[in-house]
Amino acid sequence: MTYKGGPMTEAMYYVLLALLNPNHGYQLMQAIADVSHGRLQMGPGTLYGVLSRMQKDGLISLAEEDGRRKTYQITAEGERALRAEYKRLQSLLRDGSMLEGDGEDE
C-alpha cells in the first residue's frame, strides 16, 4: 500500500523528519524531540503505532533488525511525501500571513 497523500499528522511529519537519518526507537524519540526543539515529546505507544502505519504505507522501511531493536529509515516515497507536506505547510503560512499586523492598533 502506498501513501495517498493528504495532510499528515504532526507525529508523522516529525517521524519522517527524524528518519532522514536512520534511527531505532529510543534514538528516534530523542531525534523527534531535537527536530521539534523540544515541542513534541513522543512516547513509545504513540511512536510504535505511527511507525507501524507508516511502514504499511511505504513511507519508511526497516534498515536493520538485530533481534533486540529495529532501525528504521525513510523511503523514497516517504521523502516525496515529506517534501509535499512541507510545501503544503509553507502555503498555509503564506496564506495566513494576512493576519500579521491585524489588531495591533486596537
Side-chain angles (χ1 to χ4, degrees):
M1 183 176 186
T2 59
Y3 184 67
K4 300 291 185 204
M8 287 183 186
T9 64
E10 186 175 23
M12 290 173 68
Y13 184 74
Y14 280 104
V15 165
L16 288 177
L17 279 177
L19 284 179
L20 289 173
N21 295 310
N23 275 313
H24 62 75
Y26 181 74
Q27 286 178 326
L28 190 52
M29 287 188 280
Q30 297 294 319
I32 290 167
D34 289 346
V35 168
S36 69
H37 303 282
R39 196 175 55 76
L40 184 63
Q41 303 287 327
M42 196 175 295
T46 302
L47 176 65
Y48 287 106
V50 170
L51 289 173
S52 176
R53 189 173 10 149
M54 293 176 79
Q55 196 173 2
K56 288 179 186 169
D57 288 343
L59 300 174
I60 63 171
S61 64
L62 276 179
E64 186 179 333
E65 183 174 4
D66 68 4
R68 254 189 49 217
R69 61 183 174 195
K70 299 175 180 177
T71 300
Y72 297 91
Q73 63 187 2
I74 192 169
T75 63
E77 174 71 14
E79 190 166 337
R80 186 198 59 73
L82 178 61
R83 290 182 184 280
E85 182 66 4
Y86 177 68
K87 287 182 181 177
R88 187 187 74 80
L89 294 171
Q90 282 183 316
S91 295
L92 290 176
L93 285 174
R94 192 173 40 252
D95 295 346
S97 69
M98 67 190 319
L99 296 172
E100 290 183 13
D102 277 0
E104 287 183 4
D105 297 328
E106 294 177 22

